[in-house]
Amino acid sequence: MPFTGQPTITSNYSGSVFGQYISAALKEAKSLEGLTVLENIKLKENIRKMDGASLVTDAGCNFVSAGTLTMTEAVLEPKNMQINLDICKGKLLSGWEAEEMKAGSFNRTAPTFDQYVLSYFGEIIADSVESSIWTGAGATNGQFEGFLTATTGAFAVNGNVVSSAATAAYTELNIIENLQKLVADIPANVYGRDDLRIYMNWKTYRYYISAISTLGYVNAYNMNSTYEPVFEGIKIQPCPGMPDNKMVAGETSNLFFGCDLVSEDTGASIKMLDMSNLDGSDNLRVVAKFSGGVQVGIGSDVVSQS
């Protein structure tokens, strides 16, 4: 028979233990699949990239210094964020009961109530992170600076990101032309790299699928599940948090997301307190802390189209 009582929960997860929960939540932010993730930033991280020119010369008897080695440094400083919420257990109870009773009495994989609550808030964290990665504003409560944020975002502050002009707002009729313009603007030293990606949101990706299906790419008119999304050999990374009418081309090794999952004192933590024993209510008090931030290494190796 269905569970009709009120579950009791007083659980604390912090440091590396909660890191497992928050890591799972962050992985639901699909954009992270196309970024380099730095997981143990307590305050800030200096991202260094070196670029050499004319370093190789003809051999000789004497030592003659030749060429240049330029080191680019960017600071990635994740912003600390939190969730403080009182929520009635009844709002979560029906969904948990459905999971618990899904497979009847033989269900051995049903989540405990605290696991269900973690999953619930994990989705909230993932959605927030996904949005901030691209368009977040550090001055806005609950957001960190994103890549594409005007004037204050990572690309704007870097100042060297290559700009690519779209022909018009994206549609299934012009998406191929705009992708061709984006690819044409990729620097020669970046084109062909194994980790080069094209980033777009799901709406733009839908236009791309529609256009390729119409063209009958490799006779896959319905773009079945075996299709790997690529354009002219470059893998496509759909990112739900990206805004409409924008695409980015860059290397996963040059676009960074930073957070702190392991610190016992300043890292990720969550506390869930059953308030029924304290004030007689059916509220569950949830306090979650986590951090996030993005940064670009070499801006001139990235192309942003709008």
Side-chain angles (χ1 to χ4, degrees), residues 251-263:
E251 305 155 273
T252 62
S253 59
N254 194 34
L255 298 173
F256 299 88
F257 172 82
C259 58
D260 183 5
L261 296 181
V262 298
S263 292

Side-chain angles (χ1 to χ4, degrees), residues 72-85:
T72 302
E73 184 174 275
V75 177
L76 173 51
E77 187 172 356
K79 179 182 176 182
N80 293 322
M81 292 168 289
Q82 66 182 19
I83 294 175
N84 287 346
L85 183 67

Side-chain angles (χ1 to χ4, degrees), residues 25-294:
L26 291 177
K27 287 178 181 177
E28 289 300 314
K30 298 300 182 183
S31 291
L32 296 189
E33 297 174 5
L35 306 177
T36 296
V37 179
L38 306 176
E39 296 183 347
N40 189 21
I41 303 178
K42 293 178 174 59
L43 180 60
K44 59 183 178 181
E45 181 87 2
N46 290 331
I47 299 170
R48 299 180 178 91
K49 283 210 166 190
M50 291 186 291
D51 185 24
S54 303
L55 295 174
V56 179
T57 62
D58 293 340
C61 293
N62 298 322
F63 177 84
V64 179
S65 181
T68 59
L69 186 62
T70 303
M71 184 172 71
T72 302
E73 184 174 275
V75 177
L76 173 51
E77 187 172 356
K79 179 182 176 182
N80 293 322
M81 292 168 289
Q82 66 182 19
I83 294 175
N84 287 346
L85 183 67
D86 274 334
I87 185 169
C88 179
K89 285 183 285 186
K91 293 183 177 180
L92 299 172
L93 189 57
S94 59
W96 174 62
E97 286 179 343
E99 287 292 324
E100 189 182 43
M101 300 302 294
K102 183 180 295 183
S105 59
F106 295 101
N107 184 8
R108 296 292 181 264
T109 61
T112 62
F113 187 71
D114 57 341
Q115 290 172 333
Y116 181 80
V117 173
L118 286 171
S119 175
Y120 180 87
F121 283 95
E123 293 178 6
I124 295 174
I125 292 172
D127 289 344
S128 172
V129 169
E130 176 66 39
S131 178
S132 280
I133 284 174
W134 297 103
T135 59
T140 301
N141 192 18
Q143 299 181 10
F144 55 84
E145 288 293 344
F147 286 119
L148 298 172
T149 310
T151 68
T152 58
F155 289 175
V157 172
N158 181 276
N160 295 316
V161 173
V162 179
S163 179
S164 177
T167 59
Y170 299 154
T171 69
E172 64 274 16
L173 300 178
N174 67 20
I175 188 61
I176 299 300
E177 180 183 3
N178 281 304
L179 278 164
Q180 289 172 333
K181 286 176 64 65
L182 179 74
V183 171
D185 290 329
I186 296 175
N189 64 304
V190 176
Y191 187 81
R193 298 281 180 88
D194 289 340
D195 65 339
L196 180 62
R197 300 287 186 272
I198 295 175
Y199 304 84
M200 63 179 67
N201 70 8
W202 283 112
K203 182 178 180 180
T204 303
Y205 182 70
R206 184 173 61 191
Y207 291 148
Y208 161 77
I209 290 295
S210 177
I212 295 297
S213 299
T214 301
L215 293 172
Y217 174 76
V218 293
N219 296 321
Y221 290 93
N222 61 354
M223 305 306 292
N224 55 43
S225 60
T226 62
Y227 172 70
E228 182 179 10
V230 296
F231 182 77
E232 296 184 352
I234 304 173
K235 292 182 180 179
I236 293 175
Q237 179 67 54
C239 301
M242 287 190 72
D244 292 342
N245 301 311
K246 289 185 181 293
M247 289 190 290
V248 170
E251 305 155 273
T252 62
S253 59
N254 194 34
L255 298 173
F256 299 88
F257 172 82
C259 58
D260 183 5
L261 296 181
V262 298
S263 292
E264 294 291 343
D265 50 352
T266 61
S269 64
I270 188 169
K271 296 179 176 62
M272 295 182 290
L273 180 63
D274 188 341
M275 300 299 292
S276 59
N277 293 327
L278 299 177
D279 59 13
S281 71
D282 286 330
N283 290 331
L284 180 68
R285 180 162 293 180
V286 179
V287 178
K289 296 183 183 295
F290 59 100
S291 62
V294 297

